[in-house]
Amino acid sequence: MDSIIFDLDGTLWDAIDTVLVAWNKRINQLDQVKNEVTREDFRGAMGLQIQDIGRKLFPYLDEETQAQVLNECCNLERDYLEEFGGKLYENVEDVLKILSQKYKLYIVSNCQDGYIEAFYTYHGLGKYFLDYENPGRTGLSKGENIKLIIERNHLTNPVYVGDTAGDLEASKYAEIPFVYAEYGFGEANEYNYVIEAFDELLDLF
């Protein structure tokens, strides 16, 4: 193994509480949205691409209005994440510091452009990662973005660490092993490895 590619939400951090504050602040200013979103709403949407999040959270809106609402919410979300951050899972930085001395580290997340950058800005963890990708920049699926990272960085034996069935499918698409972060938001019924806490990566690798 020469590298580890990480999912972000549910794998490295839980930013739902900060995102909720930002989204509901903007939602309360938008007449077309009926209700505030809840933490459970977001848990059920984690790992989805932004268009699918719009369909899940605002099914009563047409696609154009969904896109407008999402854009408004995501713009404020980035500002909030840069200012307030999210909740890192236990020992994340300590583990990344150790792993980065042996492996090349990357992030591929189903998020909008600027989200990973906000994670880097608030928590100061960008120094451990060599590259990152998301559909907000490329318009590609998670599996395609994983392949893009592999090709762009000439990786020969990577693994992907994530917490959802979507992460499993993306790993299969990219034809690389999947490490299931069981402590995260989602569920996966297949995996090559499983961890119940982030620091268990040190026992695996």
Side-chain angles (χ1 to χ4, degrees), residues 8-9 13-23 39 42 46 50 73-88 109-125 185:
L8 181 49
D9 292 310
W13 75 347
D14 177 351
I16 290 179
D17 290 341
T18 302
V19 172
L20 268 179
V21 173
W23 278 53
R39 183 175 177 85
F42 267 110
M46 284 297 169
I50 192 68
C73 290
C74 288
N75 285 340
L76 186 59
E77 170 190 298
R78 285 194 296 270
D79 294 339
Y80 268 59
L81 287 172
E82 286 186 357
E83 184 174 356
F84 302 108
K87 182 181 179 182
L88 294 178
S109 175
N110 266 350
C111 59
Q112 71 274 18
D113 194 21
Y115 189 88
I116 296 172
E117 295 90 330
F119 166 75
Y120 287 164
T121 297
Y122 185 83
H123 294 287
L125 299 180
F185 297 133

Side-chain angles (χ1 to χ4, degrees), residues 6 11 89-96 98-99 183 194-205:
F6 292 93
T11 301
Y89 289 110
E90 190 173 1
N91 299 322
V92 161
E93 182 164 12
D94 292 339
V95 172
L96 290 176
I98 294 170
L99 290 175
Y183 56 83
V194 60
I195 55 173
E196 295 181 358
F198 192 77
D199 55 12
E200 289 183 13
L201 286 172
L202 298 178
D203 297 325
L204 281 180
F205 307 128

Side-chain angles (χ1 to χ4, degrees), residues 13 30 48 51 56-57 74 89 113 125 134 147 149 189:
W13 75 347
L30 301 173
L48 300 178
Q51 300 92 333
K56 188 172 184 66
L57 296 183
C74 288
Y89 289 110
D113 194 21
L125 299 180
N134 61 74
K147 276 196 166 185
I149 286 286
N189 56 15

Side-chain angles (χ1 to χ4, degrees), residues 159-172:
V159 301
Y160 188 72
V161 184
D163 67 305
T164 68
D167 294 332
L168 166 64
E169 293 307 313
S171 300
K172 287 182 176 180

Side-chain angles (χ1 to χ4, degrees), residues 43 163-165 180-182 184-188:
R43 280 186 64 91
D163 67 305
T164 68
Y180 173 39
E182 192 176 38
F185 297 133
E187 295 183 0

